[in-house]
Amino acid sequence: YYPDNIDALEDLGANIVFISPLNETSIPKVHAIYMGGGFPETHAPQLAKNEGFRKELKKLSQKGLPIYAECGGLIFLGQSIRLNHTNYPMSGILPIKFGLSKRPQGHGYTKVEVVNENPFFKAGETLRGHEFRYSSILNIDYQDSEMAFRMERGKGILDKKDGFFKNNTFGTYTHIHALGAPSWAPSLIKKAKAYKASL
């Protein structure tokens, strides 16, 4: 996580609660979740065993909890990750099955244009970030309208597309910095307030 991203949320009034899908079996009462990057493949067996957390995250996503996930967070939103001929289940929110390659599948700065309306960004926005991943897409089921980004620079999820979203759940390979995506923090806060008001 960029500390500046956490600071940007706090500056807008967020009370940050840190949650670990490795160590906790349930999710506290929060109004949005920001899942940063990392390498879930190094913890795949432990993540797969934490069935209670995975199922609760999926249920909350279906209820409309705003979830914003980057890279490793995107993998955790998927159906599974395949390592050494073994499939490890993830949360099953997005219809993607991941694998792992020996070489980076995406590496460097990204520039994206927001081309489809989505929970967090307005169509027409341009965002800058970076991607670094060894994971690969083994299988994916999506409509073009469910991908928010067109990659002007970088690889994204598939075919120069990134930012897969369903309901208020959003997963992307692009890591953004709050200063390079000034609308991100206000949008996440706005969604969190709306979700809180709906309870």
Side-chain angles (χ1 to χ4, degrees):
Y1 295 87
Y2 288 122
D4 287 347
N5 288 12
I6 305 298
D7 291 345
L9 295 172
E10 288 185 318
D11 289 346
L12 293 171
N15 176 32
I16 305 297
V17 177
F18 291 95
I19 307 168
S20 170
L22 292 172
N23 303 318
E24 295 165 53
T25 56
S26 63
I27 299 171
K29 290 183 179 179
V30 294
H31 304 118
I33 291 179
Y34 168 35
M35 298 174 65
F39 294 90
E41 59 267 22
T42 62
H43 303 287
Q46 192 175 349
L47 289 168
K49 285 180 183 177
N50 198 349
E51 188 175 358
F53 191 100
R54 293 188 290 107
K55 286 186 174 180
E56 188 171 353
L57 186 68
K58 185 173 184 179
K59 181 187 281 186
L60 288 169
S61 171
Q62 291 168 340
K63 284 180 62 180
L65 177 74
I67 300 172
Y68 188 91
E70 297 174 333
C71 201
L74 166 66
I75 293 173
F76 193 63
L77 293 181
Q79 300 290 316
S80 62
I81 184 166
R82 185 170 180 80
L83 304 172
N84 299 321
H85 308 293
T86 300
N87 290 317
Y88 295 95
M90 297 288 105
S91 62
I93 297 169
L94 296 178
I96 314 176
K97 293 180 180 179
F98 295 91
L100 193 66
S101 300
K102 292 183 178 180
R103 295 186 178 185
Q105 299 299 294
H107 184 202
Y109 290 112
T110 60
K111 181 180 178 184
V112 310
E113 179 188 359
V114 182
V115 293
N116 286 315
E117 291 292 339
N118 63 88
F120 298 104
F121 303 103
K122 290 184 179 178
E125 282 189 77
T126 297
L127 309 171
R128 288 174 171 81
H130 79 275
E131 60 185 354
F132 179 69
R133 62 181 172 96
Y134 284 85
S135 63
S136 57
I137 306 298
L138 298 181
N139 186 274
I140 183 170
D141 181 14
Y142 75 98
Q143 304 293 322
D144 281 346
S145 59
E146 296 173 320
M147 290 283 192
F149 299 158
R150 179 179 63 81
M151 308 297 295
E152 294 185 15
R153 181 178 182 182
K155 294 190 72 172
I157 293 174
L158 189 74
D159 298 333
K160 291 285 189 176
K161 299 168 189 169
D162 202 0
F164 195 176
F165 63 94
K166 285 188 179 292
N167 300 318
N168 285 328
T169 296
F170 190 103
T172 176
Y173 268 128
T174 293
H175 295 262
I176 57 98
H177 188 283
L179 296 179
S183 64
W184 169 75
S187 293
L188 187 54
I189 295 296
K190 182 180 179 180
K191 283 289 181 183
K193 288 181 175 178
Y195 180 77
K196 181 180 180 180
S198 73
L199 298 177

